[in-house]
Amino acid sequence: MKCKLKALYIDVLIFISVGIVQGANFIDFANFFNHNLASVKRQDDNDRCHPTRPFRCPGDETICISIQYLCDGAPDCPDGYDEDNRLCTAAKRPPVEETANFLQTLLANHGPNYLEKLFGNKARDALEPLGGIQKVAVALSESETLEDFGVALHLMRTDLDHLRNVFRAVATDDVGMLKSLGIRDSELADVKFFLDKLVSTGFME
């Protein structure tokens, strides 16, 4: 170890000596190092959006826009992604994570086939035939209307009509109709809370 350190020390002395002999200017290593750090920081900052413009447009180039410019009718991203219909619909809805967690809670509280009462036979086994909880949550977030939701999950017309009836019962506060679907009193509050959020964002239009 001592030999290696001695050899390194000798190499450094030779480097400095050669520089002096040739009249070279010494390199300010501290400034050089700080300059490189600054460059790294600038590059890193360029890849991030400023808090006042937190939405980053897709693509290799870093283009960030303010939230107020999302879905305002005028494209600000080069590919117009800030006006994408699915994005704008999702912006009005609860976050996908929140919807997925709520679906999971409903299933945990009422059983793995509970959502069959809403979405039909394909909603058995914790929504597995529909692609799972996450896929259903994304479809609920991005689908502008009930029809779009049916297309996204390949629902049969009978299941879609059934779901529409459930929404109408919620919208009109028709508790009797909901009970006739097999939704128990202890489940009504959860169902209404879940569906009201979708109705309020135009899901039934």
Side-chain angles (χ1 to χ4, degrees):
M1 182 69 177
K2 288 182 179 179
C3 292
K4 288 183 179 179
L5 287 174
K6 187 175 180 181
L8 178 62
Y9 179 70
I10 292 172
D11 287 343
V12 170
L13 285 178
I14 292 172
F15 172 77
I16 293 173
S17 300
V18 170
I20 292 173
V21 170
Q22 293 182 352
N25 293 323
F26 285 108
I27 298 172
D28 186 343
F29 287 102
N31 284 338
F32 178 77
F33 183 68
N34 288 335
H35 172 73
N36 279 313
L37 275 184
S39 297
V40 170
K41 186 176 186 303
R42 279 198 298 273
Q43 183 177 358
D44 185 55
D45 287 346
N46 287 339
D47 290 337
R48 296 181 182 176
C49 289
H50 191 273
T52 60
R53 299 188 304 278
F55 183 83
R56 179 173 176 171
C57 298
D60 296 332
E61 188 179 358
T62 303
I63 299 176
C64 304
I65 63 175
S66 172
I67 293 295
Q68 70 187 46
Y69 296 131
L70 287 177
C71 309
D72 64 348
D76 296 286
C77 292
D79 61 356
Y81 180 70
D82 56 304
E83 300 301 321
D84 181 80
N85 189 54
R86 290 179 302 173
L87 172 72
C88 296
T89 299
K92 299 183 293 184
R93 303 262 165 83
V96 171
E97 296 80 9
E98 182 182 318
T99 300
N101 288 337
F102 189 71
L103 291 173
Q104 183 63 60
T105 301
L106 286 177
L107 295 172
N109 291 342
H110 307 296
N113 297 326
Y114 172 71
L115 290 173
E116 184 180 7
K117 297 176 181 179
L118 301 181
F119 303 127
N121 293 333
K122 289 180 74 175
R124 297 186 65 79
D125 301 321
L127 302 174
E128 281 306 314
L130 290 174
I133 290 174
Q134 188 67 24
K135 183 173 181 179
V136 173
V138 169
L140 285 169
S141 177
E142 295 183 348
S143 301
E144 187 173 8
T145 66
L146 182 64
E147 292 291 333
D148 296 332
F149 177 71
V151 171
L153 294 182
H154 309 290
L155 289 178
M156 295 176 60
R157 174 53 56 182
T158 53
D159 291 337
L160 203 57
D161 289 340
H162 169 77
L163 185 56
R164 181 177 285 104
N165 288 334
V166 173
F167 271 105
R168 284 180 182 149
V170 169
T172 60
D173 208 20
D174 187 350
V175 176
M177 192 275 186
L178 292 173
K179 286 184 177 180
S180 72
L181 295 173
I183 299 173
R184 299 189 294 268
D185 288 338
S186 61
E187 303 168 349
L188 285 173
D190 283 345
V191 172
K192 194 169 186 334
F193 177 79
F194 174 55
L195 298 183
D196 271 341
K197 286 189 175 184
L198 295 173
V199 171
S200 66
T201 56
F203 196 62
M204 291 296 293
E205 295 174 3

